[in-house]
Amino acid sequence: QVQLAESGGGSVQAGGSLRLSCVASYRPHCMAWFRQAPQAPRREREGVASINSDGSTTYAESVKGRFTVSKDNAKNTLYLQMNNLKPEDTAMYYCATLRSMDCSGTFLRPYYNAADAWGQGTLVTVSS
């Protein structure tokens, strides 16, 4: 099973930026970012963005225009550039590997729980 390790979380003020990274032990076909708000149960972990092996991306409506997902294939690393952060973006952010069939939208469904692997998470806190 792939090993995933996130980094880059921290505390910022509203309007600020952060870049998250996720190093994978090998290159999956599809990788994605999820987030789980403080005190929220795991089943409410929500999809944020994905990127497929061909570079195609999919975003949740709440982050479109503010977040950008990208990858560096040579480094097996996934990124999430987060700009214009809002207090409601405060959450633990997880990277995950998905089945290719889930990459273009299925992962955004409520209570989606079919990821092949999860990282340990990195905390993002946005203050107003």
Side-chain angles (χ1 to χ4, degrees), residues 32-34 45-50 57-64 98 102-113:
W33 290 99
F34 289 76
R45 190 175 294 182
E46 62 177 1
V48 175
S50 72
T57 57
T58 302
Y59 294 93
E61 285 296 326
S62 59
V63 305
K64 279 184 180 178
L98 308 179
D102 292 347
C103 206
S104 60
T106 301
F107 77 102
L108 295 175
R109 294 177 181 174
Y111 311 124
Y112 175 84
N113 192 31

Side-chain angles (χ1 to χ4, degrees), residues 20-37:
L20 307 183
S21 300
C22 173
V23 179
S25 55
Y26 69 86
R27 190 186 310 167
H29 288 294
C30 174
M31 296 187 74
W33 290 99
F34 289 76
R35 65 186 181 185
Q36 184 174 340

Side-chain angles (χ1 to χ4, degrees), residues 62-123:
S62 59
V63 305
K64 279 184 180 178
R66 300 189 298 122
F67 291 12
T68 303
V69 62
S70 61
K71 60 179 179 174
D72 184 332
N73 288 331
K75 298 180 180 179
N76 287 348
T77 301
L78 176 73
Y79 301 102
L80 186 68
Q81 178 66 44
M82 305 185 294
N83 298 328
N84 191 21
L85 282 160
K86 304 176 181 181
E88 53 263 42
D89 295 318
T90 294
M92 187 73 80
Y93 283 72
Y94 299 87
C95 71
T97 59
L98 308 179
R99 300 171 299 183
S100 292
M101 67 177 71
D102 292 347
C103 206
S104 60
T106 301
F107 77 102
L108 295 175
R109 294 177 181 174
Y111 311 124
Y112 175 84
N113 192 31
D116 291 330
W118 295 96
Q120 82 287 352
T122 186
L123 182 63

